[in-house]
Amino acid sequence: MLLVISIIVILFLVVMFFCSYRKVPKNRIGIRVGPFGNKTVTGKAIFVIPFLQRIDYMTLENIQVDFESKSSIPTQDAINIKVDAVANIAISQDEEVMKRAASRFTGYSTSAIAEVVTPVLEGNIREIISQVKLKDLIQGDKKVLADTIADNVKPNLADLGLELTTFNIQNFKDDNGVINNLGIEN
């Protein structure tokens, strides 16, 4: 009788071990949530006590945000342009910043995160573009402008638990042909 009880207890413990053991891949963050506190891990194993704790996941993949301004952005000299840009963002690896991302984006897909980030990018692009003359935008160094926008947007993304990995301006457009006329003038 004692042998049967011992075998049942051992089998129960083995089953509990396999039910509790979770391996989190390197391209995801595992967030264990429960009454004994929260813990985030990536690329490691973690134990989750069934019925008391759960594990949620977030992606660590690069998230590409293609941005094309929906409405025109006025430059400093009041010429309306549209901007086409690409940003790459990721969940921050900094422990404190990662916790912010976990509180906001657990369970979100990369496209859902991109939808949240797009208005943040648009606001920062509008803010910088409105301070620059069109001729300086067209003839100036796009890299310098992109770096200025990136420096401006990084604190906003950090508040969301994200970091900007790259930001590039593809081109500028306008509906009235002003940019083409500048090209002819030059």
Side-chain angles (χ1 to χ4, degrees), residues 90-157:
I91 305 293
S92 178
Q93 296 296 310
D94 179 79
E95 196 68 33
E96 285 302 311
V97 181
M98 187 188 299
K99 286 179 184 178
R100 282 185 240 145
S103 70
R104 288 174 176 85
F105 299 117
T106 299
Y108 276 51
S109 67
T110 54
S111 60
I113 294 172
E115 285 179 30
V116 172
V117 170
T118 301
V120 175
L121 282 173
E122 183 171 12
N124 283 277
I125 289 171
R126 282 184 171 283
E127 182 180 337
I128 300 300
I129 295 290
S130 68
Q131 299 171 11
V132 182
K133 291 185 178 184
L134 180 63
K135 199 167 192 174
D136 295 335
L137 286 174
I138 302 304
Q139 295 175 346
D141 188 359
K142 284 185 184 177
K143 174 98 174 97
V144 172
L145 179 64
D147 289 344
T148 303
I149 293 170
D151 291 341
N152 202 48
V153 78
K154 283 179 182 179
N156 299 83
L157 292 178

Side-chain angles (χ1 to χ4, degrees), residues 12-70:
F12 176 76
L13 291 175
V14 168
V15 168
M16 287 302 291
F17 174 80
F18 284 110
C19 289
S20 301
Y21 183 83
R22 304 286 172 88
K23 179 76 171 129
V24 180
K26 289 186 178 193
N27 67 339
R28 297 174 88 188
I29 299 170
I31 302 112
R32 182 179 64 195
V33 181
F36 307 115
N38 300 341
K39 182 173 182 171
T40 59
V41 296
T42 184
K44 298 179 185 176
I46 190 169
F47 285 97
V48 180
I49 302 169
F51 307 111
L52 291 178
Q53 297 174 325
R54 75 173 195 269
I55 189 161
D56 295 320
Y57 296 98
M58 270 189 337
T59 184
L60 283 176
E61 295 174 9
N62 188 49
I63 302 166
Q64 185 170 331
V65 181
D66 291 319
F67 172 80
E68 187 171 333
S69 52
K70 294 177 181 84

